[in-house]
Amino acid sequence: MSDDREPRDEELVDEIPEEELVPEDDTIIGVAFRWSLAVIVVVALGVTAVVWWMGRPEPDGPEVSIQTAAPTAVDRAQAPAVPFTEIAEEAGIRFVHYNGAYGDKLLPETMGGGAAFFDYDLDGDSDLLLVNGASWPHAAPPATTPVMALYRNDGTGTFEDVTRAVGLDVPFYGQGVAAGDVDGDGRTDLFFTAVGPNRLFLNRPDGFVEATAEAGVAGEEDAWSTAAVFFDYDSDGDLDLFVGNYVQWSKEIDFEVDYRLTGVGRAYGPPQNYEGTWPVLYRNEGDGSFTDVSAEAGVRIDNPATGLPTGKALGATAVDVDRDGLLDLFVANDTVRNFFFHNNGDGTFEEAGEFYGLSYDREGNATGAMGTDSGWYRNDDNLGIAIGNFANEMTSIYVTQDDPTLFVDEAISEGVGAPSRLSLTFGLCLFDADLDGRLDLLQVNGHLEEEIGKVDPSQSYRQPAQLFWNAGLGAEVGFLPVAPEDLGDLARPIIGRAAAYADIDGDGDLDLVLTQAGGPALLLRNDQELGHHWLRVRLVGEPPNRRAVGALVELEAGGSVQRRQVMPSRSYLSQMEVELTFGLGKLESVDSLVVTWPDGVSQTVAVDGVDRLLVVERDVP
C-alpha cells in the first residue's frame, strides 16, 4: 500500500546527507546567540535607567496643602407617581370605535382612528373629536351607522355630544384628523384622512359645512390616507396641507397577499408585501382652494431600484429643525426608510433623511414606524424626534449632536430602548406630565392580532401604555419608566392606537385621550399631586394664521430654557391643543418669555405670575 502523505519537517532533516551538516554551522549559531544576549542586556539596562529617571524623587519645595472632600453620593433618580383616572363615562364620552371587522382580516381594521383636541366653538376650552370607521360595502352594516363624534367641553372637563347638531354625522371610513383654520376666519376647520376619499369640513357659526370638492383635497378614490399636517410651508401666511398615504390597498390585494400565522390562519399582516405610495402636498391658494404641488415641491419619493413609490406613511409632524425660520417635515414610514423633508425656502423640499441620520435605526434597518413627535426635551439646543415602532423594535429617539444636521438614535442610552422593545407602539407624545419643566414621553401600545399570544408568548393583544419620566440628568439618566402602580388607569391594558393631550378642566396639567381599535375611547384625567407650578400660553396671531401655527415660544426660569413650537399635528393620526404648557416645578416666577412668530418677528412678553393661562397677542408695530 503506497504512502502519498507529505513528509514532516523532522523527516526532511533526517534525509539531509551527513556531509552537508558541516561544523561551520554550529560556529555561526553560537556567534548569533552571543550577539542576541548582548543586545538583550543593553535593552534591559536602558529600560532600568528610564524607570529610575521617571520615578526619581523631586527636589524639596514649599509644602502644599490640598483640601479634599469625601465623594458626594449621587442620588438615584426616581420617577414620581403621575396617576391618571379614566373618566370617559362620567365626563359624557361614550364613543366606541367601529372598524368594520367581520372575519376576513382586512388590514385597515387594525389601524384605529385619530383624535383631536381643538376649540371649535371659540369659548376658550378644548373640545374633543374622535374619528370613526365604517362598515365595508360588501359586508352587512351594523344596526346604527357609525360616524365620528364631536364633544363640546363646558370648561370643567364635562362634555356634550354635538355631532349631529353641527353637521358632522357623516359616515366614511375615517383614519386621522388635522385641525386648522384654512380660510383665515378665526374658526378651526377639520380635514379627515380616510380609506378612500378624504374630507374637508369648514367651521361656520351654525355648524360645519363640507368643502372637499371646492377645495380639491379629496385625493385619489382608491387611496388610503393616514397622517395629515396643517403648516405654512411657503411662508405666505396661510396654512398648507400635507397628507401622508400608507400602502396601495384593496380587498383584492389583501387576499392576494394572504398573510397567515401558524396555528391562527389568516391574519392581519405587515405592509412589506404591499406597494408604497406618494404623499401629497397641497398649497393653500387663499381663496378656499388648494393646489397639488407634490411633484414640483419634491415630496414624491421613488425607490431607485424599482422606480415605484417608496413611502408608507403613518406619522408626520412639522418642526423647524435647523432654526432657519422654515418648517421642515418629518414622516414616519412603516417598514421602509423614514423621510425628512428639509425646507429649501423656495417652495421646494430636499429629502435628506439619510444625510441627517433619520432614515434608519442604529443597525441601519428600517422600522415599523408609526406615531411620532418632536421636542427640545433636554432643555438645550438639541432637538429630539421620537418614533413608536412595531413589536420587538425599540422606540426610536433621534437627537441632534450639537449639530442640527446630525441625528443619532439614543433610545438605549436615554433609558427607553430596553423597556420599549416588546411593545407595539402607535400613539406617542412628548409632554410635561408632572409639570417639572421637562418633556416626558408617552407611548400607547396594542397589537394587531387578537391571537398573537399563540405564536409569540412574549406578546399580547392588549398592552398597557407606558410613561417615561424625564429625569433631566443628561447622559447619567435620561428617561425612567413610571411604575405601573403609579400610573393609575393609564396602566390598563388596551388595544391602544391614537393619543392626544389637552388641559380639559383648567387645572394646568395635561389630560389624555386614548383611542382603541374597535373599542371605547379612554379619557384620562391627570391627577398628579406634586404641587408644581405652571404657565400656559395661548398665542393670537395675525390673520389668516390666527392660531400662530409654527410659532416658537422660549421660556426661561431658574437658569433653564424650555422651548415649545405651536404644531398641533403630532402623535398618530391626531391633533393636540394649540395652547402650550410649561411646567415650572417649585419655581414661582418666570425670568423671560420670548415669542418668535411664524414670520420671524420676536416679541418679549411680560409674565406677571404663574399658575395661569397667558394670552399673547401679536404686537404689531
Side-chain angles (χ1 to χ4, degrees):
M1 183 174 182
S2 62
D3 186 359
D4 296 328
R5 62 183 175 85
E6 294 291 328
R8 295 178 297 178
D9 290 343
E10 58 266 35
E11 293 173 337
L12 288 172
V13 172
D14 291 341
E15 293 175 5
I16 298 175
E18 186 174 335
E19 60 269 18
E20 292 186 26
L21 299 176
V22 295
E24 285 80 1
D25 294 331
D26 291 335
T27 302
I28 294 170
I29 293 171
V31 172
F33 175 78
R34 287 191 293 273
W35 273 106
S36 299
L37 183 61
V39 170
I40 292 170
V41 170
V42 171
V43 170
L45 289 173
V47 170
T48 302
V50 170
V51 171
W52 175 87
W53 178 262
M54 297 291 290
R56 75 192 190 284
E58 293 290 336
D60 293 337
E63 187 173 316
V64 178
S65 176
I66 300 176
Q67 299 295 326
T68 61
T72 303
V74 177
D75 292 334
R76 289 292 299 168
Q78 183 173 354
V82 189
F84 287 81
T85 303
E86 210 288 303
I87 60 168
E89 181 69 25
E90 65 183 84
I93 306 296
R94 297 176 177 85
F95 175 85
V96 178
H97 178 259
Y98 183 79
N99 63 3
Y102 60 94
D104 273 349
K105 298 290 184 75
L106 302 180
L107 189 57
E109 297 166 0
T110 68
M111 294 303 181
F117 279 118
F118 74 112
D119 183 7
Y120 94 90
D121 54 0
L122 303 179
D123 65 353
D125 52 45
S126 289
D127 308 301
L128 175 61
L129 184 133
L130 296 163
V131 182
N132 213 346
S135 58
W136 297 110
H138 49 271
T144 303
T145 301
V147 294
M148 72 183 84
L150 177 62
Y151 293 95
R152 183 177 65 83
N153 188 350
D154 69 358
T156 69
T158 300
F159 293 83
E160 176 189 3
D161 189 340
V162 295
T163 312
R164 184 181 298 275
V166 300
L168 287 177
D169 53 334
V170 181
F172 61 95
Y173 206 112
Q175 289 285 267
V177 56
D181 183 2
V182 302
D183 52 7
D185 66 352
R187 293 179 173 272
T188 302
D189 311 302
L190 295 171
F191 176 81
F192 296 93
T193 59
V195 179
N198 300 319
R199 316 288 284 264
L200 174 67
F201 292 85
L202 299 179
N203 189 348
R204 300 295 187 231
D206 55 351
F208 286 84
V209 177
E210 184 167 5
T212 309
E214 299 87 337
V217 293
E220 300 297 329
E221 286 284 332
D222 59 351
W224 177 0
S225 299
T226 51
V229 181
F230 278 121
F231 74 122
D232 184 8
Y233 86 93
D234 53 2
S235 302
D236 65 352
D238 53 29
L239 296 180
D240 310 297
L241 176 62
F242 174 86
V243 180
N245 292 317
Y246 190 39
V247 295
Q248 295 186 28
W249 179 88
S250 67
K251 179 186 175 184
E252 292 71 27
I253 295 174
D254 205 318
F255 271 82
E256 287 177 11
V257 171
D258 199 25
Y259 184 79
R260 293 178 180 272
L261 288 173
T262 303
V264 174
R266 181 166 166 79
Y268 297 114
Q272 282 96 331
N273 294 326
Y274 296 87
E275 290 186 11
T277 59
W278 285 329
V280 181
L281 180 64
Y282 294 102
R283 184 181 64 219
N284 191 336
E285 301 297 353
D287 59 1
S289 67
F290 289 78
T291 300
D292 183 345
V293 295
S294 308
E296 54 264 46
V299 301
R300 290 184 173 181
I301 307 301
D302 291 332
N303 185 326
T306 64
L308 298 174
T310 299
K312 299 180 181 182
L314 284 179
T317 190
V319 60
D320 183 1
V321 168
D322 50 5
R323 306 285 295 278
D324 63 354
L326 301 169
L327 287 172
D328 310 301
L329 190 67
F330 178 76
V331 181
N333 285 314
D334 190 2
T335 71
V336 297
R337 63 185 175 93
N338 301 316
F339 296 153
F340 173 65
F341 293 109
H342 179 258
N343 194 330
N344 295 322
D346 58 1
T348 68
F349 292 87
E350 177 189 9
E351 202 293 290
E354 292 181 342
F355 177 77
Y356 277 69
L358 290 165
S359 292
Y360 305 103
D361 68 7
R362 298 175 67 93
E363 282 73 43
N365 300 314
T367 62
M370 287 170 276
T372 185
D373 200 356
S374 65
W376 291 269
Y377 70 88
R378 290 178 175 171
N379 290 349
D380 60 13
D381 290 334
N382 287 309
L383 176 70
I385 296 179
I387 309 170
N389 292 316
F390 202 77
N392 298 312
E393 296 175 340
M394 296 181 294
T395 294
S396 301
I397 304 180
Y398 298 97
V399 186
T400 55
Q401 307 297 299
D402 298 322
D403 177 351
T405 68
L406 177 60
F407 283 83
V408 173
D409 187 353
E410 297 192 13
I412 294 176
S413 59
E414 288 287 19
V416 174
S420 67
R421 183 180 292 278
L422 288 179
S423 303
L424 199 166
T425 302
F426 281 86
L428 179 146
C429 304
L430 287 164
F431 76 116
D432 190 353
D434 62 338
L435 300 177
D436 65 353
R438 299 184 297 271
L439 293 173
D440 308 302
L441 175 65
L442 169 76
Q443 58 180 53
V444 182
N445 310 315
H447 213 283
L448 308 182
E449 182 58 53
E450 188 171 4
E451 297 181 281
I452 187 63
K454 291 183 177 180
V455 295
D456 186 351
S458 71
Q459 290 294 311
S460 59
Y461 185 43
R462 298 177 182 272
Q463 300 179 4
Q466 294 168 286
L467 180 64
F468 293 90
W469 176 68
N470 187 342
L473 298 179
E476 182 186 347
V477 179
F479 291 93
L480 292 174
V482 179
E485 60 268 22
D486 291 331
L487 288 175
D489 293 330
L490 184 59
R492 179 191 305 178
I494 61 172
I495 315 163
R497 295 298 184 260
Y501 58 75
D503 179 11
I504 63 172
D505 48 12
D507 63 355
D509 55 26
L510 293 171
D511 311 294
L512 298 170
V513 64
L514 311 182
T515 70
Q516 299 190 80
L522 281 71
L523 184 65
L524 294 154
R525 185 183 64 219
N526 189 334
D527 285 338
Q528 59 86 24
E529 297 180 341
L530 298 169
H532 289 164
H533 298 290
W534 49 272
L535 182 72
R536 286 172 50 78
V537 178
R538 177 187 298 151
L539 301 183
V540 181
E542 292 183 298
N545 187 6
R546 295 284 287 170
R547 300 292 185 275
V549 173
L552 183 71
V553 180
E554 297 173 290
L555 179 147
E556 183 173 357
S560 178
V561 177
Q562 301 181 51
R563 292 181 179 88
R564 305 280 191 273
Q565 190 149 38
V566 181
M567 183 49 59
S569 298
R570 300 175 182 271
S571 186
Y572 171 73
L573 307 179
S574 298
Q575 297 282 293
M576 314 301 115
E577 63 176 1
V578 294
E579 289 80 10
L580 304 175
T581 295
F582 295 89
L584 297 171
K586 300 301 183 182
L587 299 174
E588 297 182 354
S589 63
V590 171
D591 298 327
S592 70
L593 186 77
V594 178
V595 178
T596 303
W597 297 95
D599 62 0
V601 174
S602 292
Q603 179 179 341
T604 300
V605 181
V607 181
D608 296 328
V610 299
D611 299 336
R612 65 185 64 185
L613 172 67
L614 179 65
V615 179
V616 180
E617 295 194 27
R618 171 69 183 268
D619 184 10
V620 181

